[in-house]
Amino acid sequence: MINMEVITKIGVWGDSILKGVILDEAAGRYRLMKDGAVNCFAKLFHMDVSNHSHFGCTAPKALANLDRSIERGLDEDLILLEFGGNDCDFNWSEVSANPSGIHMPNTPYSSFIDSVQKMISTLLARGIRPILMNLPPIDAHRYFDWITSQEGISRENILSFLGEKEYIYRHQEKYSAAMERLAYANNLVFLNVREAFLDERCLGNCLCADGIHPNEKGQALIQGVFARRYQLYLHS
């Protein structure tokens, strides 16, 4: 149990999801939301929140960044960890060029678990309490279309490698589920963001056209999960 009344500084370590990155469909490029989930939470509860999230960040990269931040005197009371989306992704150009070859994700599954566990252990050893969250689900068909819309990428070759488009969903779900297992194994607070998305009748309304980034509605769902958990602890 965390006594939120003594929490003065919160750190957020994640990727583009918690950075608040969305796809601007009109411009055809990614942009940063001013009022993403993290910023809205901080404003709503007047919390000191430092967002260390980075576009494209993986768990091993975050582990190295966290170690450097600790060496420089990181003094946050609570740190939220959110990873897996970039870790589970593949180099689609290489897959397209050789679909029958052996291709590993950006972070192999065992390395992903090892990196997140090292972050957890490092933080606990320094008296900083980690909180883990899982990932919003992917729209496999949208993401497949997004991948294969890139120049030089063959739809046929990508599909040959995947076997079926839905493998994209299941593969990402595996990494998402690992965050939940690590939270419970280490007796940590776990934020079930994925459930909030799965409760939506039309998941696509919560995701950008690329099928992987939450849009404005999706960011609001994430912020709602944060707010409900925080209010639970305030009144416990």
Side-chain angles (χ1 to χ4, degrees), residues 117-129:
Q117 181 59 59
K118 284 180 178 177
M119 281 189 274
I120 292 169
S121 299
T122 297
L123 293 172
L124 290 175
R126 285 158 179 78
I128 302 172
R129 192 69 177 174

Side-chain angles (χ1 to χ4, degrees), residues 53-226:
S53 302
H54 293 286
F55 188 93
C57 194
T58 61
K61 290 179 182 178
L63 175 61
N65 291 337
L66 181 62
D67 287 341
R68 286 192 290 269
S69 292
I70 288 174
E71 289 176 1
R72 293 194 293 265
L74 183 70
D75 64 346
E76 291 159 356
D77 305 304
L78 190 71
I79 285 182
L80 172 62
L81 301 176
E82 173 266 320
F83 298 103
N86 295 301
D87 297 274
C88 73
D89 209 12
F90 291 89
N91 184 320
W92 298 111
S93 294
E94 293 180 0
V95 172
S96 178
N98 181 22
S100 61
I102 297 175
H103 300 280
M104 300 299 291
N106 292 332
T107 309
Y109 185 67
S110 60
S111 298
F112 173 71
I113 292 175
D114 182 62
S115 294
V116 177
Q117 181 59 59
K118 284 180 178 177
M119 281 189 274
I120 292 169
S121 299
T122 297
L123 293 172
L124 290 175
R126 285 158 179 78
I128 302 172
R129 192 69 177 174
I131 290 181
L132 270 60
M133 64 171 269
N134 55 8
L135 302 171
I138 282 178
D139 184 317
H141 292 266
R142 282 191 191 180
Y143 189 48
F144 178 83
D145 289 342
W146 177 256
I147 294 167
T148 56
S149 70
Q150 310 306 309
E151 185 176 354
I153 303 295
S154 165
R155 288 178 65 91
E156 293 76 15
N157 288 357
I158 297 298
L159 187 57
S160 175
F161 169 74
L162 293 171
E164 62 177 8
K165 295 177 185 178
E166 285 303 319
Y167 177 73
I168 297 172
Y169 181 97
R170 299 195 306 274
H171 182 63
Q172 187 252 18
E173 185 177 44
K174 180 179 177 181
Y175 281 68
S176 179
M179 294 295 284
E180 182 173 359
R181 289 197 301 275
L182 285 165
Y184 289 125
N186 290 276
N187 195 30
L188 303 177
V189 171
F190 171 70
L191 301 180
N192 196 345
V193 167
R194 196 178 189 89
E195 183 177 68
F197 281 78
L198 294 176
D199 281 341
E200 291 292 312
R201 290 185 180 274
C202 296
L203 175 62
N205 291 340
C206 304
L207 298 174
C208 295
D210 62 5
I212 56 174
H213 286 92
N215 57 19
E216 289 88 346
K217 182 177 180 180
Q219 286 286 331
L221 282 179
I222 296 172
Q223 191 274 335
V225 174
F226 293 172

